[in-house]
Amino acid sequence: MSPQPPLPEDGAGLGRRAWLGALALVAVSSQDAWPEAGKMSQWDIFKTRFLARDGRVIDTGNGGVSHSEGQGWALLLAQRAGDREAFDRILRWTRQTLRRPGDALYGWRFRPGAGVDANSATDGDLFISAALVLAGERWGEPHLVTSGAETARDILRLLLRRAGSLTLLLPGVEGFERADRIIVNPSYYAFPAIRVLARAFPDPAWMRVAADGLTLLRAARFGRWGLPPDWLSVARADASLALPRRWAPRFSYDAVRIPLYLTWAGLADEPARLAAAAFWGDAGNEHLPAWTDLTSDAISPYRAADGVAAVARLTLLPQVAPIPDVAAAQDYYGAVLGLLTQCAWRDTVATPL
């Protein structure tokens, strides 16, 4: 492929040098997880904007619904902030509203006025379980660890399937199995959470999930940049891969979490993370893309908003501390991605595990 021409540095578009420079302008101001005491922390701002008094995390960019993934992320952030009061509120609402009857998984979505969609979402269950383990260890509360263990057990019991030689992680209990294929969401391989659960509850199945998840990501590379998709179809017989028709064939708002989780888990050399860096750092892009179509290589006609930009910054400049600005975030998802990127940076660069 011939080299791309340099981008114009004009007011109509943010050229590559300009946006790389903007990503670099994030100086380290504190070694704390959140800004220093005496100021309103980023976590406190997040609570003010997106956490209801009853403990429900409100997805302001998606009609005010709540998801198990949002509850799990908020539990994780609350325990990192040492905020036991918020942690207990979030956990109480999550258990009372989302806990499924008959197992230890959680309903994936709550709509005000419509109730809970009881199908599970595996990334939400992984983060809820890991947050319970970490909180129980932090505050010396064995019952929290036990509760996390119950969910971890049911993830392994209910959500693992075979396709060829691979052990796959279903995205949820219902709706993702076909006669000849299994649908997976590659971003649901939340390696930081899986690592916590594998340490707390040793089981060879966690090693298979993690190892085969990486094998899947190494093979699931589409389009010009070799990126993983939001959704993926895997043949039961031989684990051959295809882009499912039901979803847009994109590296987009789901798959953007893949380089975040790989970086966070210390897997920075994985092809999926390197491909994301090549995509966001491509000199041929007139702006930082929010997504790309994996069949046409078209990119979003608009610049990535704050959340995706935070992950791109971590991916392109992993040595530079990300400073989230929750007050300026357009919505809940952008704000939480900003906070998670800082957690990832602290765990792998500031204080490597």
Side-chain angles (χ1 to χ4, degrees):
M1 183 180 296
S2 61
Q4 295 288 338
L7 294 176
E9 299 288 356
D10 56 32
L14 186 64
R16 179 174 182 269
R17 290 195 299 275
W19 59 255
L20 276 177
L23 292 177
L25 294 176
V26 283
V28 179
S29 62
S30 172
Q31 288 301 308
D32 295 330
W34 316 114
E36 65 272 16
K39 294 183 179 179
M40 193 174 189
S41 76
Q42 295 296 303
W43 168 242
D44 287 332
I45 297 171
F46 183 89
K47 289 193 299 180
T48 299
R49 292 191 64 190
F50 307 112
L51 182 63
R53 293 184 64 181
D54 62 1
R56 181 169 80 90
V57 179
I58 301 171
D59 185 347
T60 57
N62 196 21
V65 304
S66 297
H67 301 98
S68 59
E69 68 178 19
Q71 300 300 124
W73 288 334
L75 287 169
L76 179 73
L77 295 169
Q79 71 83 24
R80 284 187 75 113
D83 190 344
R84 183 63 188 271
E85 186 276 332
F87 182 92
D88 287 344
R89 272 196 291 140
I90 298 163
L91 181 59
R92 186 179 309 112
W93 186 89
T94 304
R95 283 175 167 168
Q96 291 176 352
T97 309
L98 299 183
R99 183 71 178 257
R100 287 163 44 95
D103 58 49
L105 305 180
Y106 293 83
W108 81 281
R109 182 177 63 190
F110 170 83
R111 288 184 181 275
V116 178
D117 184 328
N119 196 12
S120 66
T122 303
D123 61 337
D125 290 326
L126 285 167
F127 275 104
I128 290 170
S129 180
L132 286 166
V133 170
L134 294 171
E137 293 172 349
R138 175 170 190 153
W139 290 311
E141 298 281 0
H143 69 94
L144 294 175
V145 178
T146 299
S147 182
E150 293 172 352
T151 299
R153 175 202 64 207
D154 278 354
I155 290 171
L156 296 182
R157 182 172 68 90
L158 299 172
L159 296 168
L160 302 190
R161 297 292 186 274
R162 295 289 293 181
S165 62
L166 299 180
T167 296
L168 300 181
L169 191 61
L170 285 178
V173 173
E174 300 175 0
F176 300 101
E177 297 187 79
R178 311 290 184 264
D180 60 341
R181 306 190 76 83
I182 296 172
I183 305 300
V184 299
N185 186 315
S187 75
Y188 283 19
Y189 283 83
F191 294 106
I194 292 170
R195 180 173 59 183
V196 170
L197 300 180
R199 171 185 58 78
F201 316 118
D203 188 310
W206 290 121
M207 297 300 101
R208 292 198 302 273
V209 168
D212 289 355
L214 290 175
T215 298
L216 190 70
L217 285 174
R218 290 166 187 163
R221 304 184 64 198
F222 297 86
R224 171 183 171 185
W225 294 279
L227 290 162
D230 290 340
W231 293 91
L232 184 67
S233 177
V234 186
R236 289 182 185 271
D238 60 2
S240 59
L241 307 180
L243 296 171
R245 296 179 180 178
R246 179 178 170 185
W247 292 274
R250 290 180 176 177
F251 171 86
S252 183
Y253 296 103
D254 275 14
V256 68
R257 301 192 297 250
I258 295 169
L260 167 62
Y261 293 156
L262 290 172
T263 302
W264 197 347
L267 299 168
D269 292 332
E270 284 295 316
R273 197 208 71 84
L274 297 176
F279 168 58
W280 283 316
D282 193 322
N285 296 331
E286 295 184 357
H287 51 258
L288 185 71
W291 52 260
T292 179
D293 185 300
L294 298 173
T295 58
S296 69
D297 295 327
I299 65 171
S300 61
Y302 50 84
R303 284 186 287 218
D306 34 44
V308 175
V311 178
R313 180 173 60 241
L314 179 73
T315 305
L316 289 163
L317 303 165
Q319 299 302 316
V320 180
I323 307 298
D325 187 355
V326 174
Q330 292 180 346
D331 55 30
Y332 142 82
Y333 191 54
V336 78
L337 284 180
L339 294 177
L340 294 175
T341 58
Q342 191 181 70
C343 292
W345 180 84
R346 288 191 55 79
D347 287 351
T348 58
V349 177
T351 53
L353 297 180

